[in-house]
Amino acid sequence: MVTDRLKSSGIGFSTDEPLSHHSTFRIGGVADVAVFPSDIPELIQTIDILSGTKFTVIGGGSNIVFPSDGYRGTVVFTKALRNIVISENKITAECGVMMPYLSSAAMNAGLSGLEFLCGIPGTIGGGVRMNAGSYGREISDCIESCKYYDTEKKQICLSENNDLGFSFRSSIFADASLVVLSTVFALTADSQDEIRKKCDDILSKKRSSQPYDMPSAGSVFKPIDGIPAWKLIDECKLRGYSVGGAKISEKHAGFIVNTGNATSDDVKKLTEIIKDKVFALTGKIPEEEIIFLK
């Protein structure tokens, strides 16, 4: 059994772990097994132990909708992998580093380029996987290289930016067999005051325009032909529309929020309604940014 192998390895794990505790949406039943590797060697060892079984690797759970009836498999959490190394104008960050923390570390080192990450509540691993971004910047803009684990070949790989397949909210890591281990960011020197001002401006804009006070998974849909999804949702007069405990935010129509008792089915049904309405309006089906774990 997986738990026997994990126990003999000494890697920390739990059973019947509530996934809602690991989700910014605050949605999710229990996972059969949850594993909490303490460093990259343990992460790789965990993946090898789980080979041939159902498992997924998760960072901060900020763009994931966990199933309310639970996950029949193993969830590996990377949040303990938080080492960063700063050398001249470069920062190397492990996959579990939170993006706002990395942005703050860069600011303290007088390095500019990661200010836009200050308000994105996810880890570097997840951010690289989905090429996270905001206000016209993407994480791929600053990446020099990435080290990752190929779970099928059981090899640690190192690739430069151009070989990582970055596009809008995607990368080669959309293939679940490739797991981000660490990333090198190339930045530019600037004064801490200037960097702090940029971060403060971004946070102020986000807090005034986004539902920071309610559980969500961030922006739900990608733009269509350059038009932000929230504008199309507004045109469909869906702002404030709800299914069960899931509701299209009245503050920002691009967000679905959990009003207190939302289930994954509520969120899924609401996204399908949005897709149908936007398709009727534009003739195109919007593509989700959030991921429904199965």
Side-chain angles (χ1 to χ4, degrees):
M1 286 181 64
V2 164
T3 52
D4 291 335
R5 283 179 279 167
L6 289 169
K7 190 177 294 183
S8 64
S9 73
I11 299 171
F13 73 94
S14 66
T15 56
D16 295 331
E17 179 72 19
L19 292 171
S20 60
H21 294 176
H22 302 279
S23 162
T24 58
F25 231 144
R26 300 293 180 260
I27 291 174
V30 300
D32 288 347
V33 182
V35 189
F36 306 93
S38 61
D39 55 28
I40 285 178
E42 275 199 359
L43 172 60
I44 292 171
Q45 185 181 3
T46 297
I47 291 170
D48 288 346
I49 287 172
L50 298 174
S51 179
T53 70
K54 183 181 179 181
F55 74 96
T56 187
V57 180
I58 298 293
S62 59
N63 74 322
I64 299 283
V65 183
F66 291 120
S68 292
D69 58 356
Y71 182 76
R72 304 286 72 85
T74 303
V75 181
V76 183
F77 292 98
T78 65
K79 287 185 283 189
L81 282 59
R82 300 189 297 265
N83 289 324
I84 65 171
V85 176
I86 301 175
S87 178
E88 296 181 346
N89 70 321
K90 296 180 182 180
I91 299 182
T92 302
E94 290 184 341
C95 55
V97 173
M98 296 298 293
M99 286 187 275
Y101 179 83
L102 183 65
S103 178
S104 179
M107 177 184 69
N108 292 336
L111 295 175
S112 176
L114 297 177
E115 292 87 345
F116 68 98
L117 296 183
C118 64
I120 304 178
T123 61
I124 292 303
V128 172
R129 181 193 185 281
M130 70 171 293
N131 193 16
S134 66
Y135 296 109
R137 297 296 308 279
E138 294 177 324
I139 199 168
S140 58
D141 295 339
C142 301
I143 289 176
E144 179 177 276
S145 62
C146 187
K147 187 179 290 186
Y148 58 96
Y149 189 61
D150 187 321
T151 65
E152 294 180 351
K153 296 179 180 178
K154 299 190 185 305
Q155 291 180 351
I156 296 175
C157 307
L158 178 66
S159 292
E160 303 297 309
N161 184 307
N162 291 339
D163 297 319
L164 296 173
F166 286 118
S167 59
F168 187 84
R169 301 297 177 264
S170 188
S171 69
I172 62 170
F173 303 107
D175 179 346
S177 67
L178 306 178
V179 178
V180 176
L181 300 177
S182 63
T183 304
V184 178
F185 297 90
L187 307 173
T188 56
D190 201 351
S191 74
Q192 289 186 16
D193 288 343
E194 284 297 316
I195 298 170
R196 183 176 289 105
K197 183 179 183 302
K198 292 178 186 177
C199 289
D200 289 344
D201 288 346
I202 289 170
L203 288 173
S204 178
K205 288 177 184 176
K206 289 198 169 211
R207 286 172 180 150
S208 65
S209 64
Q210 297 178 4
Y212 261 64
D213 57 336
M214 301 188 77
S216 78
S219 180
V220 176
F221 291 103
K222 298 178 181 180
I224 294 180
D225 295 334
I227 303 172
W230 69 264
K231 288 188 176 181
L232 299 173
I233 294 169
D234 260 351
E235 285 189 41
C236 295
K237 303 188 185 306
L238 288 173
R239 187 181 290 252
Y241 190 90
S242 63
V243 173
K247 180 179 180 180
I248 298 172
S249 170
E250 293 174 342
K251 194 171 187 179
H252 191 308
F255 285 63
I256 291 175
V257 296
N258 179 359
T259 62
N261 60 347
T263 67
S264 56
D265 282 345
D266 291 342
V267 178
K268 186 65 175 177
K269 288 175 185 175
L270 189 48
T271 61
E272 292 304 320
I273 289 170
I274 294 170
K275 287 180 184 179
D276 289 345
K277 295 289 188 181
V278 171
F279 178 74
L281 177 71
T282 67
K284 296 185 178 181
I285 299 174
E287 184 180 353
E288 292 151 355
E289 286 189 30
I290 60 174
I291 297 169
F292 289 89
L293 191 66
K294 298 177 181 179

